[in-house]
Amino acid sequence: MARSNPGLLLGLLLLRLNWCLAVDGGGAEEGGGVFPVVVSTWPFREAVRAAWDVVKTGGAGGSAVDAVVAGCSACEELRCDGTVGPGGSPDEKGETTLDALIMNGKTMEIGAVAAMRYVKDAIMAAKLVMEHTGHTLLVGEKATSFAISMGLAGPTNLSSPESIEKWSNWRQNNCQPNFWKNVAPAGNCGPYHPINIPKDPVKSAVWENQGITCQEWLQNDNLLEPTSSHFNSVNRHNHDTISMAVIDKMGHVAVGTSTNGATFKIPGR
Ligand SMILES: *[C@@H]1O[C@H](CO)[C@@H](O)[C@H](O)[C@H]1NC(C)=O
């Protein structure tokens, strides 16, 4: 029952997280009617639709890579949840920077940008890294220069009135919460300096808990296992960002993600 496996797997994934999914309901088409498939985190319907339009049209359909770019770009333009594209998630200096990654399952190539400034089109920049360089990851202003030199628009102001207001309110609240630990002054805005690590690191390492949660889940390769209490802490209100997987009509897989990162992050994160 090879045909039912993708459906079963996707069904199990849907039980585990909030996903948005588009599949061919048509049954017996080319490729057995299973593909194309588009899956996205969260109910980002417009992004799934944009990817679907690419992968569904024409005889062989558009490529999975192009569909991932279309889907993630749609979210960047729509600023999905304020967590994708420009205008959201200011860092602790108030600046919005972008991260994106794309993988082509057919060629096993990867491209990514991180902490990219002044360019809106993060997933397109990641695709340019993948297709036109021998590198995997470009960062910061060097990623900006690369993206602009390859034809993307910029430099652009990635802040919005909303992101600046959010940041001002946070400053007024003594820059709380933030991502620092084992520093002084605690409970206030920086500059910070390191202090001795306390004897009980568990209590101080609030932010590391999230990393441990993910790791535990990833190590659990049995999707039928009951959800752990740790895993339940992942929900719509503390996780966001678009990640998308596409299988095109040819059966090729591509995945991508695009985000403006964590709000009030330390610049460079
Ligand atoms: C960028 O945009 C924000 C929000 O509209 C604005 O407050 C800020 O002054 C702009 N920065 C520059 C350098 O134009």
Side-chain angles (χ1 to χ4, degrees):
M1 289 275 97
R3 270 191 61 186
S4 66
N5 283 342
L8 176 65
L9 181 63
L10 289 167
L12 288 168
L13 287 170
L14 286 162
L15 286 174
R16 303 296 298 236
L17 276 176
N18 288 327
W19 295 86
C20 213
L21 168 76
V23 287
D24 195 335
E29 280 186 31
E30 64 279 308
V34 175
F35 307 135
V37 177
V38 175
V39 190
S40 165
T41 46
W42 314 121
F44 296 148
R45 287 188 177 77
E46 294 82 358
V48 170
R49 214 165 272 138
W52 184 249
D53 286 347
V54 169
V55 90
K56 188 72 177 120
T57 46
S63 74
V65 165
D66 288 342
V68 165
V69 170
C72 291
S73 293
C75 249
E76 289 167 5
E77 273 163 46
L78 291 165
R79 307 183 175 191
C80 289
D81 277 355
T83 61
V84 184
S89 304
D91 66 20
E92 60 173 38
K93 302 286 181 207
E95 183 176 353
T96 298
T97 54
L98 303 181
D99 313 315
L101 176 147
I102 190 162
M103 297 176 72
N104 180 345
K106 186 182 170 191
T107 62
M108 302 303 273
E109 290 172 304
I110 309 170
V113 291
M116 184 171 67
R117 310 175 82 179
Y118 313 135
V119 172
K120 293 191 276 87
D121 304 308
I123 194 76
M124 289 189 198
K127 182 174 183 256
L128 287 166
V129 171
M130 177 173 78
E131 293 187 340
H132 301 284
T133 79
H135 302 309
T136 298
L137 172 65
L138 298 181
V139 300
E141 273 183 63
K142 308 298 182 183
T144 311
S145 311
F146 166 80
I148 292 171
S149 78
M150 294 299 281
L152 297 185
T156 310
N157 185 351
L158 298 185
S159 294
S160 65
E162 298 75 33
S163 69
I164 296 299
E165 192 193 342
K166 203 173 185 183
W167 175 69
S168 308
N169 292 340
W170 174 78
R171 298 268 320 163
Q172 277 163 27
N173 189 38
N174 297 318
C175 307
Q176 302 303 313
N178 64 45
F179 287 91
W180 294 87
K181 65 182 189 189
N182 306 322
V183 294
N188 220 321
C189 295
Y192 302 97
H193 63 266
I195 58 170
N196 287 337
I197 295 169
K199 289 230 163 67
D200 179 5
V202 176
K203 283 199 181 88
S204 67
V206 177
W207 294 105
E208 288 188 356
N209 284 342
Q210 292 186 351
I212 290 164
T213 300
C214 292
Q215 219 179 340
E216 280 181 355
W217 179 65
L218 288 170
Q219 281 167 358
N220 176 7
D221 56 6
N222 182 357
L223 287 169
L224 294 169
E225 285 277 287
T227 35
S228 73
S229 54
H230 282 302
F231 188 80
N232 285 336
S233 67
V234 177
N235 65 53
R236 189 75 215 262
H237 303 290
N238 59 21
H239 283 71
D240 45 45
T241 290
I242 187 165
S243 292
M244 177 172 270
V246 175
I247 309 176
D248 63 26
K249 283 188 187 173
M250 308 301 288
H252 297 137
V253 183
V255 297
T257 186
S258 180
T259 180
N260 50 31
T263 305
F264 313 130
K265 69 181 89 58
I266 299 166
R269 181 260 193 189

